[in-house]
Amino acid sequence: MWLGFAAGASAVAVIGWLLRREQMARERLREVSLRLAELKTQRHLELVEEQSKQQALLDSMVEGVLLLDPQGRVQHMNPALVRLFGLPGESRGKAVAEALPVSGLDDLARRTVQQGRLTEQELTLDGEPVRTLQVNAVALRDPDRLLAGTLFVFHDLTQHKRLAEQRREFVANVSHELRTPLSLIKGYTETLLGGAKDDPATAMRFLQIIDKHADRLTFLIEDLLTISRLESGQVIMNLQPTGLYEVVVQVVEDLRAKAAERGTELRNEVPQQMRIHGDGDRLQQVISNLVDNAIKYGRPGGRVVVGARALHEDIVEAWVADDGVGIPAEARDRIFERFYRVDKGRSREQGGTGLGLSIVKHIVQAHGGEVRVESELGRGTCFYFTLPRVNEAAG
């Protein structure tokens, strides 16, 4: 009997032990399952975070980015690309030829996949203005070397090409402007050295011509240095309350003799109490340039008027008007460009450098203002520019 009881107790103990082991195994399995679930969730969150970072990176790029899936359909476009092409609506899932109004992208994608390297192509977009794009494309592959998609990056080269063209044009213009007076100076100097110096009257006339063109070179170099400093932001404006009437008085006094040579009447119609917040020396340069041009290109015996009015409590609009022949419509949009001249021959005869109005524009813009021109053939020209006003009542 005792043996039977002992055997039964042992069996119960074994069963209990097995049950505890099973329970422990279940708990361990549950812990492993929970851990796997946590790891899976964490990995999912990491993937989501990584994708979000990649999305944010693409969306923050100034270059346009296009991602195609392995079938050549649009998978993603960043905002820069949408703005670049002015794309409406959702393009995801569309074929690239359908999504983007640019021919050759599908062919570029095929070549990129076939060649297995970075490829690039330059595209021209018709419109106003015409734009130039550089497109770089690369095939994306997964760890098994299977095609995962194609990535395009679009760089807008329009501004770069425009600046390069402006630089070439600027160098050509400077070279031409320097070559003309230098050639004249050299020519007359060689003539003097060749014997013309023995004739006092001829020698004096030649020396006066040399002196005139030396001055022209000096003015050109000074204007080049000025516009270079203005464009690079090296010129610091000494902004302070300034009487605009007094600035114009000084300009009129400086140019009175030149105006008298052409019988031009100079009138200062700026209100005497008007004050602006600006650099008096630079503003004198602006008004002097405009008045000087008005004298040179206005009609002989004509009139040049400098005026100003308050647009509102913070802005003054000033102007310089003449009653000359006016500026043709096709020239008005280009009148502030460096070296642009409406009448090239006459401008050089008058001694202009072709940089005065460009300097005017940069100085006005440095004051936070804008400059524009209105003109009618046979009725004269008026240059308007705005300046910050000193509001005495508010002060």
Side-chain angles (χ1 to χ4, degrees):
M1 182 177 178
W2 174 252
L3 289 174
F5 178 77
S10 297
V12 170
V14 169
I15 291 171
W17 179 80
L18 290 173
L19 289 174
R20 286 194 301 275
R21 288 294 301 271
E22 182 181 1
Q23 181 66 26
M24 291 173 62
R26 287 178 179 176
E27 290 178 357
R28 180 60 179 163
L29 181 60
R30 185 163 54 250
E31 290 176 1
V32 170
S33 299
L34 289 173
R35 181 58 180 160
L36 287 174
E38 290 176 0
L39 291 173
K40 186 176 181 181
T41 301
Q42 183 178 351
R43 180 56 181 159
H44 175 72
L45 292 175
E46 289 175 352
L47 288 173
V48 170
E49 183 180 1
E50 184 178 347
Q51 291 174 351
S52 297
K53 289 180 179 179
Q54 292 175 351
Q55 181 90 14
L57 177 63
L58 293 178
D59 290 350
S60 65
M61 289 177 64
V62 295
E63 295 85 2
V65 177
L66 170 67
L67 179 61
L68 303 182
D69 65 16
Q71 289 72 43
R73 294 187 297 267
V74 174
Q75 188 171 344
H76 179 71
M77 288 182 177
N78 73 338
L81 186 70
V82 174
R83 290 192 300 270
L84 183 62
F85 288 94
L87 300 175
E90 176 60 46
S91 299
R92 187 181 178 89
K94 294 182 179 179
V96 64
E98 179 186 0
L100 287 178
V102 181
S103 60
L105 283 184
D106 47 357
D107 180 61
L108 178 60
R110 282 193 296 271
R111 286 192 287 112
T112 301
V113 173
Q114 291 169 0
Q115 296 173 7
R117 58 180 175 81
L118 179 71
T119 56
E120 65 179 51
Q121 182 172 319
E122 196 168 285
L123 302 174
T124 300
L125 300 183
D126 295 330
E128 187 58 41
V130 175
R131 290 181 297 168
T132 305
L133 305 179
Q134 178 183 313
V135 187
N136 297 99
V138 63
L140 305 177
R141 298 189 179 277
D142 63 19
D144 297 324
R145 304 298 299 163
L146 297 176
L147 181 65
T150 309
L151 180 68
F152 295 85
V153 179
F154 296 77
H155 308 266
D156 192 344
L157 301 180
T158 307
Q159 183 68 9
H160 173 77
K161 284 187 171 290
R162 185 182 299 118
L163 291 174
E165 179 61 30
Q166 288 177 350
R167 282 194 295 271
R168 285 192 294 270
E169 189 175 310
F170 180 72
V171 170
N173 283 327
V174 170
S175 300
H176 179 76
E177 295 294 333
L178 291 173
R179 187 182 299 115
T180 302
L182 282 173
S183 298
L184 289 168
I185 290 171
K186 184 171 178 58
Y188 283 107
T189 301
E190 289 175 347
T191 304
L192 286 170
L193 293 173
K197 64 179 180 298
D198 297 331
D199 180 352
T202 301
M204 178 60 68
R205 184 166 58 87
F206 283 7
L207 287 171
Q208 288 172 343
I209 294 172
I210 290 171
D211 183 61
K212 173 185 173 182
H213 288 285
D215 285 342
R216 181 177 166 189
L217 281 175
T218 301
F219 296 147
L220 176 60
I221 292 169
E222 288 177 351
D223 280 354
L224 284 170
L225 291 173
T226 298
I227 202 164
S228 175
R229 289 194 295 264
L230 286 167
E231 290 185 340
S232 63
Q234 294 178 7
V235 175
I236 299 175
M237 296 292 165
N238 181 24
L239 302 178
Q240 57 185 332
T242 303
L244 187 58
Y245 177 84
E246 288 75 17
V247 172
V248 178
V249 166
Q250 185 61 55
V251 171
V252 169
E253 185 62 30
D254 291 343
L255 296 175
R256 189 179 302 281
K258 188 170 189 176
E261 292 176 4
R262 290 179 57 83
T264 302
E265 177 191 0
L266 299 182
R267 292 173 56 179
N268 181 0
E269 296 185 355
V270 175
Q272 293 190 24
Q273 74 281 7
M274 181 165 284
R275 289 162 62 77
I276 53 89
H277 194 65
D279 185 321
D281 291 336
R282 291 297 177 183
L283 292 177
Q284 185 174 332
Q285 190 175 4
V286 167
I287 298 169
S288 181
N289 262 314
L290 294 176
V291 173
D292 185 59
N293 280 349
I295 295 170
K296 287 191 293 190
Y297 307 123
R299 65 181 179 86
R303 182 177 62 196
V304 175
V305 178
V306 185
R309 66 189 178 98
L311 288 184
H312 52 75
E313 62 182 20
D314 297 322
I315 299 294
V316 165
E317 181 180 65
W319 61 84
V320 175
D322 65 56
D323 53 0
V325 296
I327 300 172
E330 63 273 13
R332 291 171 207 157
D333 291 338
R334 301 191 59 192
I335 199 73
F336 296 102
E337 293 180 12
R338 294 173 298 187
F339 294 114
Y340 183 79
R341 290 184 171 97
V342 178
D343 185 343
K344 294 179 174 59
R346 186 179 175 195
S347 296
R348 292 193 178 95
E349 287 176 9
Q350 299 281 6
T353 64
L355 295 171
L357 290 178
S358 185
I359 291 172
V360 165
K361 181 187 72 172
H362 282 88
I363 293 176
V364 170
Q365 289 178 343
H367 282 77
E370 296 178 351
V371 61
R372 61 188 174 88
V373 62
E374 292 183 3
S375 185
E376 186 177 345
L377 291 178
R379 301 290 297 274
T381 300
C382 187
F383 285 89
Y384 295 90
F385 57 97
T386 56
L387 298 168
R389 179 189 178 196
V390 174
N391 188 358
E392 303 290 356

